[in-house]
Coordinates of all heavy atoms in Angstrom, one line a residue:
G1 N 40.2 -4.6 -7.9 CA 39.2 -3.8 -7.4 C 39.4 -2.3 -7.7 O 40.5 -1.9 -8.3
A2 N 38.6 -1.5 -7.3 CA 38.7 0.0 -7.6 C 39.7 0.6 -6.7 O 40.0 0.1 -5.6 CB 37.3 0.7 -7.3
A3 N 40.4 1.6 -7.1 CA 41.4 2.2 -6.3 C 40.7 2.9 -5.1 O 39.7 3.5 -5.2 CB 42.2 3.3 -7.2
R4 N 41.4 2.8 -4.0 CA 40.8 3.3 -2.7 C 41.2 4.8 -2.7 O 42.3 5.2 -3.0 CB 41.4 2.6 -1.6 CG 40.6 2.6 -0.3 CD 41.1 1.7 0.7 NE 40.9 0.3 0.5 CZ 39.7 -0.3 0.8 NH1 38.7 0.4 1.2 NH2 39.5 -1.6 0.6
R5 N 40.3 5.6 -2.2 CA 40.6 7.0 -2.1 C 41.5 7.2 -0.9 O 41.5 6.5 0.0 CB 39.3 7.8 -1.8 CG 38.4 8.0 -3.0 CD 37.3 8.9 -2.7 NE 36.2 8.1 -2.1 CZ 35.0 8.5 -1.8 NH1 34.8 9.8 -1.9 NH2 34.2 7.7 -1.2
A6 N 42.3 8.2 -1.0 CA 43.3 8.6 0.0 C 42.6 8.8 1.3 O 41.6 9.5 1.4 CB 44.1 9.8 -0.4
G7 N 43.1 8.2 2.4 CA 42.6 8.4 3.7 C 41.3 7.5 4.0 O 40.9 7.6 5.2
E8 N 40.8 6.8 3.1 CA 39.6 6.0 3.3 C 40.0 4.7 4.1 O 40.9 4.0 3.6 CB 38.9 5.6 2.0 CG 37.6 4.8 2.2 CD 37.0 4.5 0.8 OE1 37.0 5.4 0.0 OE2 36.5 3.4 0.7
A9 N 39.4 4.5 5.2 CA 39.7 3.3 6.0 C 39.1 2.1 5.4 O 38.0 2.1 4.8 CB 39.2 3.5 7.4
K10 N 39.8 1.0 5.5 CA 39.3 -0.3 5.0 C 38.3 -0.9 6.0 O 38.6 -0.9 7.2 CB 40.5 -1.3 4.8 CG 40.1 -2.6 4.2 CD 41.3 -3.5 4.1 CE 40.9 -4.8 3.5 NZ 42.0 -5.7 3.3
R11 N 37.2 -1.3 5.5 CA 36.2 -1.8 6.4 C 36.5 -3.2 6.8 O 36.9 -4.0 6.0 CB 34.8 -1.8 5.7 CG 34.2 -0.5 5.5 CD 32.8 -0.7 4.9 NE 32.4 0.6 4.4 CZ 31.2 0.7 3.8 NH1 30.5 -0.3 3.5 NH2 30.8 1.9 3.4
P12 N 36.4 -3.5 8.1 CA 36.7 -4.9 8.5 C 35.6 -5.8 8.0 O 34.4 -5.4 8.0 CB 36.7 -4.8 10.1 CG 35.9 -3.6 10.4 CD 36.0 -2.7 9.2
K13 N 35.9 -7.0 7.6 CA 34.9 -8.0 7.2 C 34.5 -8.8 8.4 O 35.3 -9.4 9.1 CB 35.5 -8.9 6.1 CG 35.7 -8.1 4.8 CD 36.1 -9.1 3.7 CE 36.3 -8.2 2.5 NZ 36.5 -9.1 1.3
I14 N 33.2 -8.8 8.7 CA 32.6 -9.5 9.8 C 31.7 -10.6 9.2 O 30.7 -10.2 8.5 CB 31.9 -8.6 10.8 CG1 32.9 -7.6 11.3 CG2 31.3 -9.4 11.9 CD1 32.3 -6.5 12.2
K15 N 31.9 -11.8 9.6 CA 31.0 -12.9 9.2 C 29.7 -12.9 10.0 O 29.7 -12.7 11.2 CB 31.7 -14.2 9.3 CG 31.0 -15.4 8.7 CD 31.8 -16.7 8.8 CE 31.1 -17.8 8.2 NZ 31.9 -19.0 8.2
V16 N 28.6 -13.0 9.3 CA 27.3 -13.1 9.9 C 26.5 -14.2 9.4 O 26.5 -14.5 8.1 CB 26.5 -11.8 9.7 CG1 25.1 -11.8 10.3 CG2 27.2 -10.5 10.2
G17 N 25.9 -15.0 10.2 CA 25.1 -16.2 9.8 C 23.8 -16.3 10.6 O 23.6 -15.6 11.6
H18 N 22.9 -17.1 10.1 CA 21.6 -17.3 10.8 C 21.3 -18.8 10.9 O 21.8 -19.6 10.2 CB 20.5 -16.6 10.1 CG 20.2 -17.0 8.7 ND1 19.4 -18.1 8.4 CD2 20.6 -16.6 7.5 CE1 19.3 -18.3 7.1 NE2 20.1 -17.4 6.5
G19 N 20.5 -19.1 11.9 CA 20.3 -20.4 12.3 C 19.0 -21.0 11.7 O 18.2 -21.7 12.3
G20 N 18.6 -20.6 10.5 CA 17.4 -21.0 9.8 C 16.6 -19.9 9.3 O 17.0 -18.8 9.3
T21 N 15.4 -20.2 9.0 CA 14.5 -19.1 8.5 C 13.1 -19.3 9.2 O 12.8 -20.4 9.7 CB 14.3 -19.2 7.0 OG1 13.8 -20.5 6.7 CG2 15.5 -19.0 6.2
L22 N 12.4 -18.2 9.2 CA 11.0 -18.3 9.8 C 10.1 -18.1 8.6 O 10.2 -17.3 7.7 CB 10.8 -17.1 10.8 CG 11.5 -17.2 12.1 CD1 11.2 -16.0 12.9 CD2 11.1 -18.4 12.9
D23 N 9.0 -18.9 8.7 CA 7.9 -18.7 7.7 C 7.4 -17.3 7.9 O 7.3 -16.8 9.1 CB 6.8 -19.8 8.1 CG 5.6 -19.7 7.2 OD1 4.8 -18.8 7.4 OD2 5.5 -20.5 6.2
P24 N 6.9 -16.6 6.9 CA 6.4 -15.2 7.1 C 5.3 -15.1 8.1 O 5.2 -14.1 8.7 CB 5.9 -14.9 5.7 CG 6.7 -15.8 4.7 CD 6.9 -17.0 5.5
M25 N 4.5 -16.1 8.3 CA 3.4 -16.0 9.3 C 3.8 -16.6 10.7 O 3.0 -16.6 11.6 CB 2.2 -16.8 8.8 CG 1.6 -16.0 7.6 SD 0.1 -16.9 7.0 CE 0.8 -18.3 6.2
A26 N 5.0 -17.1 10.8 CA 5.5 -17.7 12.1 C 5.9 -16.6 13.0 O 6.3 -15.5 12.6 CB 6.6 -18.7 11.8
T27 N 5.9 -16.9 14.3 CA 6.5 -16.1 15.3 C 7.5 -16.9 16.0 O 7.5 -18.1 16.0 CB 5.4 -15.6 16.3 OG1 4.8 -16.7 17.0 CG2 4.3 -14.8 15.7
G28 N 8.5 -16.2 16.5 CA 9.6 -16.9 17.2 C 10.9 -16.1 17.1 O 10.9 -14.9 16.9
V29 N 12.0 -16.8 17.3 CA 13.3 -16.2 17.3 C 14.1 -16.7 16.2 O 14.2 -17.9 15.9 CB 14.0 -16.5 18.7 CG1 15.4 -16.0 18.7 CG2 13.2 -15.9 19.8
L30 N 14.8 -15.8 15.5 CA 15.7 -16.2 14.5 C 17.1 -15.9 15.1 O 17.5 -14.8 15.3 CB 15.6 -15.4 13.2 CG 16.5 -15.7 12.0 CD1 16.5 -17.1 11.6 CD2 16.3 -14.8 10.9
V31 N 17.9 -17.0 15.3 CA 19.2 -16.9 16.0 C 20.2 -16.4 15.0 O 20.3 -17.0 13.9 CB 19.6 -18.2 16.6 CG1 20.9 -18.1 17.3 CG2 18.5 -18.6 17.6
L32 N 21.0 -15.4 15.3 CA 22.1 -14.9 14.4 C 23.4 -15.2 15.1 O 23.5 -15.1 16.3 CB 21.9 -13.4 14.2 CG 20.7 -12.9 13.6 CD1 20.7 -11.3 13.5 CD2 20.6 -13.4 12.2
G33 N 24.4 -15.5 14.3 CA 25.7 -15.6 14.7 C 26.6 -14.5 14.1 O 26.5 -14.3 12.9
I34 N 27.4 -13.8 14.9 CA 28.2 -12.7 14.4 C 29.7 -13.1 14.8 O 30.0 -13.4 15.9 CB 27.8 -11.4 15.0 CG1 26.3 -11.1 14.6 CG2 28.7 -10.3 14.5 CD1 25.7 -9.9 15.3
G35 N 30.5 -12.9 13.8 CA 32.0 -13.2 14.0 C 32.1 -14.7 14.4 O 31.6 -15.6 13.7
T36 N 32.8 -15.0 15.5 CA 33.1 -16.3 15.9 C 31.8 -17.0 16.3 O 31.8 -18.3 16.4 CB 34.1 -16.4 17.0 OG1 33.6 -15.6 18.1 CG2 35.5 -15.9 16.5
G37 N 30.7 -16.3 16.6 CA 29.5 -16.9 16.9 C 28.9 -17.7 15.8 O 28.0 -18.6 16.1
C38 N 29.3 -17.5 14.6 CA 28.8 -18.3 13.5 C 29.1 -19.8 13.7 O 28.3 -20.7 13.3 CB 29.4 -17.9 12.1 SG 28.7 -16.3 11.6
R39 N 30.3 -20.1 14.2 CA 30.7 -21.5 14.4 C 29.9 -22.1 15.6 O 29.9 -23.3 15.7 CB 32.2 -21.5 14.7 CG 33.0 -21.3 13.5 CD 34.5 -21.4 13.8 NE 34.8 -20.1 14.5 CZ 36.0 -19.5 14.6 NH1 37.0 -20.1 14.0 NH2 36.1 -18.4 15.2
Q40 N 29.3 -21.3 16.4 CA 28.6 -21.8 17.5 C 27.1 -21.9 17.3 O 26.3 -22.4 18.2 CB 28.8 -20.9 18.7 CG 30.3 -20.9 19.1 CD 30.6 -19.9 20.2 OE1 29.7 -19.5 21.0 NE2 31.8 -19.4 20.3
L41 N 26.6 -21.6 16.1 CA 25.2 -21.6 15.8 C 24.6 -23.0 16.1 O 23.5 -23.1 16.7 CB 24.9 -21.2 14.4 CG 24.8 -19.7 14.1 CD1 24.7 -19.4 12.7 CD2 23.7 -19.0 14.9
E42 N 25.2 -24.0 15.6 CA 24.7 -25.4 15.8 C 24.5 -25.7 17.3 O 23.5 -26.3 17.7 CB 25.6 -26.4 15.2 CG 25.0 -27.8 15.1 CD 25.9 -28.8 14.4 OE1 26.6 -28.4 13.4 OE2 25.9 -30.0 14.8
R43 N 25.4 -25.3 18.1 CA 25.3 -25.5 19.6 C 24.1 -24.7 20.1 O 23.4 -25.2 21.0 CB 26.6 -25.2 20.3 CG 26.6 -25.6 21.7 CD 27.8 -25.2 22.4 NE 27.8 -23.8 22.6 CZ 28.8 -23.0 23.0 NH1 29.9 -23.6 23.3 NH2 28.7 -21.7 23.2
Y44 N 23.9 -23.5 19.7 CA 22.8 -22.7 20.2 C 21.5 -23.3 19.8 O 20.5 -23.1 20.6 CB 22.9 -21.3 19.6 CG 24.1 -20.5 20.0 CD1 24.6 -19.5 19.1 CD2 24.8 -20.6 21.2 CE1 25.7 -18.8 19.4 CE2 25.9 -19.9 21.5 CZ 26.4 -18.9 20.6 OH 27.5 -18.2 20.9
L45 N 21.4 -23.9 18.7 CA 20.1 -24.5 18.2 C 19.9 -25.9 18.6 O 18.9 -26.5 18.2 CB 20.1 -24.4 16.7 CG 20.2 -22.9 16.1 CD1 20.4 -22.9 14.6 CD2 19.0 -22.1 16.5
A46 N 20.8 -26.5 19.5 CA 20.7 -27.9 19.8 C 19.5 -28.2 20.8 O 19.2 -29.4 20.9 CB 22.0 -28.4 20.4
G47 N 18.9 -27.3 21.4 CA 17.9 -27.5 22.3 C 16.6 -28.0 21.7 O 16.4 -28.0 20.5
S48 N 15.7 -28.4 22.5 CA 14.4 -28.9 22.0 C 13.5 -27.7 21.6 O 13.7 -26.6 22.1 CB 13.6 -29.7 23.0 OG 13.3 -28.9 24.2
K49 N 12.6 -28.0 20.7 CA 11.7 -26.9 20.2 C 10.2 -27.5 20.3 O 10.0 -28.6 20.2 CB 12.0 -26.6 18.8 CG 13.4 -26.0 18.6 CD 13.7 -25.9 17.1 CE 15.1 -25.4 16.9 NZ 16.1 -26.3 17.3
R50 N 9.3 -26.6 20.5 CA 7.9 -26.9 20.5 C 7.2 -26.0 19.5 O 7.5 -24.8 19.4 CB 7.3 -26.7 21.9 CG 7.9 -27.6 22.9 CD 7.2 -27.4 24.2 NE 5.8 -28.0 24.1 CZ 5.3 -28.9 24.8 NH1 6.0 -29.4 25.8 NH2 4.1 -29.3 24.7
Y51 N 6.2 -26.5 18.9 CA 5.4 -25.7 17.9 C 3.9 -25.9 18.3 O 3.5 -26.9 18.8 CB 5.6 -26.3 16.5 CG 7.1 -26.2 16.1 CD1 8.0 -27.2 16.3 CD2 7.5 -25.0 15.4 CE1 9.3 -27.1 15.9 CE2 8.9 -24.9 15.0 CZ 9.7 -26.0 15.2 OH 11.0 -25.8 14.9
S52 N 3.2 -24.8 18.0 CA 1.8 -24.9 18.2 C 1.1 -24.4 16.9 O 1.8 -23.6 16.1 CB 1.3 -24.1 19.4 OG 1.6 -22.7 19.2
A53 N 0.0 -24.9 16.6 CA -0.7 -24.5 15.3 C -2.2 -24.4 15.5 O -2.7 -25.1 16.4 CB -0.3 -25.5 14.2
E54 N -2.8 -23.7 14.7 CA -4.3 -23.7 14.6 C -4.7 -24.0 13.2 O -4.0 -23.7 12.3 CB -4.8 -22.3 14.9 CG -4.7 -21.8 16.4 CD -5.3 -20.5 16.6 OE1 -6.3 -20.1 16.0 OE2 -4.7 -19.8 17.5
A55 N -5.8 -24.7 13.1 CA -6.2 -25.2 11.7 C -7.7 -25.0 11.6 O -8.5 -25.1 12.5 CB -5.8 -26.6 11.5
L56 N -8.1 -24.7 10.4 CA -9.5 -24.7 10.0 C -9.7 -25.9 9.1 O -9.4 -26.0 8.0 CB -9.9 -23.4 9.2 CG -11.3 -23.3 8.8 CD1 -12.3 -23.4 9.9 CD2 -11.5 -22.0 8.0
L57 N -10.3 -27.0 9.7 CA -10.5 -28.2 9.0 C -11.6 -28.1 8.0 O -12.6 -27.4 8.2 CB -10.7 -29.4 10.0 CG -9.7 -29.6 11.1 CD1 -10.1 -30.7 12.0 CD2 -8.3 -29.9 10.4
G58 N -11.4 -28.8 6.9 CA -12.4 -28.9 5.9 C -12.4 -27.7 4.9 O -13.3 -27.5 4.1
S59 N -11.3 -27.0 4.9 CA -11.2 -25.8 4.0 C -9.9 -25.8 3.2 O -8.9 -26.2 3.8 CB -11.3 -24.5 4.8 OG -12.5 -24.4 5.4
E60 N -9.9 -25.5 2.0 CA -8.7 -25.3 1.2 C -8.7 -23.9 0.6 O -9.7 -23.4 0.2 CB -8.7 -26.3 0.0 CG -7.5 -26.2 -0.9 CD -7.5 -27.2 -2.1 OE1 -8.3 -28.1 -2.1 OE2 -6.8 -26.9 -3.0
T61 N -7.6 -23.2 0.7 CA -7.5 -21.9 0.1 C -6.6 -21.9 -1.1 O -5.9 -22.8 -1.4 CB -6.8 -20.9 1.2 OG1 -5.5 -21.3 1.3 CG2 -7.6 -20.9 2.5
D62 N -6.7 -20.8 -1.9 CA -6.0 -20.6 -3.1 C -4.5 -20.5 -2.9 O -3.7 -20.6 -3.9 CB -6.6 -19.5 -4.0 CG -6.6 -18.2 -3.3 OD1 -6.2 -18.1 -2.1 OD2 -7.0 -17.2 -3.9
T63 N -4.1 -20.2 -1.7 CA -2.7 -20.0 -1.4 C -2.1 -21.2 -0.5 O -1.0 -21.2 -0.2 CB -2.4 -18.7 -0.7 OG1 -3.2 -18.6 0.5 CG2 -2.7 -17.5 -1.6
L64 N -3.0 -22.1 -0.2 CA -2.7 -23.2 0.7 C -2.2 -22.8 2.1 O -1.4 -23.5 2.7 CB -1.7 -24.2 0.0 CG -2.1 -24.7 -1.3 CD1 -1.0 -25.6 -1.9 CD2 -3.4 -25.5 -1.2
D65 N -2.6 -21.6 2.5 CA -2.3 -21.2 3.9 C -3.5 -20.4 4.4 O -4.5 -20.3 3.7 CB -1.0 -20.3 3.9 CG -1.0 -19.1 3.0 OD1 -2.1 -18.5 2.8 OD2 0.0 -18.6 2.6
S66 N -3.4 -19.8 5.6 CA -4.5 -19.1 6.2 C -4.8 -17.8 5.6 O -5.9 -17.2 5.8 CB -4.3 -19.0 7.7 OG -3.2 -18.2 7.9
E67 N -3.9 -17.3 4.7 CA -4.2 -15.9 4.2 C -4.9 -15.9 2.9 O -5.4 -14.9 2.4 CB -2.8 -15.2 4.0 CG -2.1 -15.0 5.3 CD -0.9 -14.1 5.2 OE1 -0.3 -14.1 4.1 OE2 -0.5 -13.5 6.2
G68 N -5.1 -17.1 2.2 CA -5.8 -17.1 1.0 C -7.3 -17.2 1.1 O -7.9 -17.2 2.2
Q69 N -8.0 -17.1 -0.1 CA -9.4 -17.2 -0.1 C -9.8 -18.7 -0.1 O -9.2 -19.5 -0.8 CB -9.9 -16.5 -1.4 CG -9.6 -15.0 -1.4 CD -10.3 -14.3 -0.3 OE1 -11.5 -14.5 -0.1 NE2 -9.6 -13.4 0.4
I70 N -10.9 -19.0 0.6 CA -11.3 -20.4 0.6 C -11.9 -20.7 -0.7 O -12.8 -20.0 -1.2 CB -12.4 -20.6 1.7 CG1 -11.7 -20.4 3.1 CG2 -13.0 -22.0 1.6 CD1 -12.6 -20.5 4.3
I71 N -11.4 -21.8 -1.4 CA -11.9 -22.1 -2.7 C -12.6 -23.5 -2.7 O -13.3 -23.8 -3.7 CB -10.7 -22.2 -3.7 CG1 -9.6 -23.2 -3.2 CG2 -10.1 -20.8 -3.9 CD1 -8.6 -23.5 -4.2
K72 N -12.5 -24.2 -1.6 CA -13.1 -25.6 -1.5 C -13.4 -25.9 -0.1 O -12.6 -25.6 0.8 CB -12.2 -26.6 -2.2 CG -12.7 -28.0 -2.3 CD -11.6 -28.8 -3.0 CE -12.0 -30.2 -3.1 NZ -10.9 -31.0 -3.7
T73 N -14.5 -26.6 0.2 CA -14.8 -27.1 1.5 C -15.2 -28.5 1.4 O -15.6 -29.0 0.4 CB -15.9 -26.3 2.2 OG1 -17.1 -26.4 1.4 CG2 -15.5 -24.8 2.4
A74 N -14.9 -29.3 2.5 CA -15.3 -30.7 2.6 C -15.6 -31.0 4.0 O -15.2 -30.4 4.9 CB -14.1 -31.5 2.1
S75 N -16.4 -32.1 4.1 CA -16.8 -32.6 5.5 C -15.5 -33.1 6.2 O -14.6 -33.7 5.6 CB -17.8 -33.7 5.3 OG -18.0 -34.3 6.6
W76 N -15.5 -32.9 7.5 CA -14.4 -33.4 8.3 C -14.9 -34.2 9.5 O -14.2 -34.3 10.5 CB -13.4 -32.4 8.6 CG -13.9 -31.1 9.3 CD1 -14.5 -30.1 8.7 CD2 -14.0 -30.9 10.7 NE1 -15.0 -29.2 9.6 CE2 -14.6 -29.6 10.9 CE3 -13.6 -31.6 11.8 CZ2 -14.8 -29.1 12.1 CZ3 -13.8 -31.0 13.1 CH2 -14.4 -29.8 13.2
D77 N -16.1 -34.6 9.4 CA -16.8 -35.4 10.5 C -16.0 -36.6 10.9 O -16.1 -37.0 12.1 CB -18.2 -35.8 10.1 CG -19.1 -34.6 9.8 OD1 -18.8 -33.5 10.3 OD2 -20.2 -34.8 9.2
H78 N -15.2 -37.2 10.0 CA -14.5 -38.4 10.3 C -13.2 -38.1 11.1 O -12.5 -39.0 11.5 CB -14.1 -39.1 9.0 CG -13.3 -38.3 8.1 ND1 -13.8 -37.2 7.4 CD2 -12.0 -38.3 7.8 CE1 -12.8 -36.6 6.7 NE2 -11.7 -37.3 6.9
V79 N -12.8 -36.8 11.2 CA -11.6 -36.5 11.9 C -11.9 -36.3 13.4 O -12.8 -35.6 13.8 CB -11.0 -35.2 11.3 CG1 -9.7 -34.8 12.1 CG2 -10.7 -35.3 9.9
N80 N -11.1 -37.0 14.2 CA -11.2 -36.9 15.7 C -9.8 -36.7 16.3 O -8.8 -36.7 15.5 CB -11.9 -38.1 16.3 CG -11.2 -39.4 16.0 OD1 -10.0 -39.5 15.9 ND2 -12.0 -40.4 15.8
R81 N -9.7 -36.5 17.5 CA -8.4 -36.3 18.2 C -7.5 -37.4 18.0 O -6.3 -37.2 17.7 CB -8.6 -36.1 19.7 CG -7.4 -35.7 20.4 CD -7.6 -35.3 21.9 NE -6.4 -34.9 22.4 CZ -6.0 -33.6 22.6 NH1 -6.8 -32.7 22.2 NH2 -4.9 -33.3 23.2
A82 N -7.9 -38.6 18.0 CA -7.0 -39.8 17.7 C -6.4 -39.7 16.3 O -5.2 -40.0 16.2 CB -7.8 -41.1 17.9
C83 N -7.2 -39.4 15.3 CA -6.7 -39.2 14.0 C -5.6 -38.1 13.9 O -4.6 -38.3 13.3 CB -7.8 -38.8 13.0 SG -9.0 -40.1 12.7
L84 N -5.9 -37.0 14.6 CA -4.9 -35.9 14.6 C -3.6 -36.3 15.3 O -2.5 -36.1 14.8 CB -5.5 -34.7 15.2 CG -6.6 -34.0 14.4 CD1 -7.2 -32.9 15.3 CD2 -6.2 -33.5 13.1
E85 N -3.7 -37.0 16.4 CA -2.5 -37.4 17.2 C -1.7 -38.4 16.4 O -0.5 -38.3 16.4 CB -2.9 -38.0 18.5 CG -3.5 -37.1 19.5 CD -2.5 -36.1 20.1 OE1 -1.3 -36.4 20.0 OE2 -2.9 -35.1 20.6
A86 N -2.4 -39.3 15.7 CA -1.7 -40.3 14.8 C -0.9 -39.6 13.7 O 0.2 -39.9 13.4 CB -2.6 -41.3 14.3
A87 N -1.5 -38.6 13.1 CA -0.9 -37.9 12.0 C 0.3 -37.1 12.5 O 1.3 -36.9 11.8 CB -1.9 -36.9 11.3
L88 N 0.2 -36.5 13.7 CA 1.3 -35.7 14.2 C 2.6 -36.5 14.5 O 3.7 -36.0 14.5 CB 0.9 -35.1 15.5 CG -0.1 -33.9 15.3 CD1 -0.6 -33.4 16.7 CD2 0.6 -32.8 14.6
E89 N 2.5 -37.8 14.7 CA 3.6 -38.7 14.9 C 4.7 -38.5 13.8 O 5.9 -38.6 14.1 CB 3.3 -40.1 15.1 CG 2.6 -40.4 16.4 CD 3.5 -40.0 17.6 OE1 4.7 -40.3 17.6 OE2 3.0 -39.3 18.5
D90 N 4.3 -38.3 12.6 CA 5.3 -38.1 11.5 C 6.1 -36.8 11.7 O 7.1 -36.6 11.0 CB 4.5 -38.1 10.2 CG 4.0 -39.4 9.8 OD1 4.4 -40.4 10.3 OD2 3.1 -39.5 8.9
F91 N 5.6 -35.9 12.5 CA 6.3 -34.6 12.7 C 7.1 -34.6 14.0 O 7.7 -33.5 14.3 CB 5.3 -33.5 12.6 CG 4.6 -33.4 11.3 CD1 3.4 -34.0 11.1 CD2 5.1 -32.6 10.3 CE1 2.7 -33.9 9.9 CE2 4.5 -32.5 9.1 CZ 3.3 -33.2 8.9
R92 N 7.1 -35.6 14.7 CA 7.8 -35.6 16.0 C 9.2 -36.4 15.8 O 9.3 -37.2 15.0 CB 7.0 -36.3 17.1 CG 5.8 -35.5 17.4 CD 5.1 -36.2 18.6 NE 4.0 -35.3 19.0 CZ 2.7 -35.7 19.1 NH1 2.4 -36.9 18.8 NH2 1.8 -34.8 19.5
G93 N 10.1 -35.9 16.7 CA 11.4 -36.6 16.7 C 12.6 -35.7 16.3 O 12.4 -34.5 16.3
D94 N 13.7 -36.3 16.1 CA 14.9 -35.5 15.8 C 15.0 -35.0 14.4 O 14.5 -35.7 13.5 CB 16.2 -36.4 16.1 CG 16.3 -36.8 17.6 OD1 15.8 -36.0 18.4 OD2 16.9 -37.8 17.8
I95 N 15.5 -33.9 14.2 CA 15.7 -33.3 12.9 C 17.0 -33.8 12.4 O 18.0 -33.8 13.1 CB 15.7 -31.8 12.9 CG1 14.4 -31.2 13.4 CG2 16.1 -31.2 11.6 CD1 14.4 -29.7 13.6
M96 N 17.0 -34.4 11.2 CA 18.3 -35.0 10.7 C 19.0 -34.0 9.8 O 18.7 -33.2 9.2 CB 17.9 -36.2 9.9 CG 17.3 -37.3 10.7 SD 18.4 -37.7 12.0 CE 17.7 -39.1 12.7

């Protein structure tokens, strides 16, 4: 490495970690671990989580999210609450 200037203090190295990432449009908490807290991140994140979402059925955007321009529409008359509840089952359960 480069020679250290006289009198310059060595900076302590502190480990920092995070417990995941947030989608740019998501709201919530991003848990950080600092120092020995990095080893405890898994424990901090062990609790249950709940998610809520809003959807505009029958629309497709050029970005495949709510920020894009609608490029295609389709009928969604066949979609009812029972269909949505059945589809949600694939998203429930433990994260592996």
Side-chain angles (χ1 to χ4, degrees):
R4 205 174 282 284
R5 287 187 274 181
E8 184 178 319
K10 184 178 179 180
R11 291 184 190 176
K13 291 188 179 189
I14 300 172
K15 187 174 182 179
V16 177
H18 62 85
T21 58
L22 289 177
D23 180 281
M25 291 183 287
T27 59
V29 176
L30 178 61
V31 179
L32 298 177
I34 300 172
T36 59
C38 290
R39 287 179 284 208
Q40 298 173 26
L41 279 173
E42 189 173 326
R43 190 181 72 190
Y44 296 150
L45 300 171
S48 64
K49 296 172 184 67
R50 294 185 71 121
Y51 299 90
S52 63
E54 291 183 31
L56 177 60
L57 300 178
S59 297
E60 179 181 344
T61 67
D62 55 0
T63 56
L64 302 177
D65 60 27
S66 64
E67 294 188 336
Q69 297 296 313
I70 295 175
I71 58 171
K72 185 177 174 184
T73 59
S75 172
W76 54 277
D77 295 342
H78 61 287
V79 178
N80 57 36
R81 185 175 185 97
C83 291
L84 294 173
E85 291 289 340
L88 286 174
E89 283 305 311
D90 291 340
F91 296 93
R92 292 188 174 120
D94 294 335
I95 297 173
M96 299 302 190

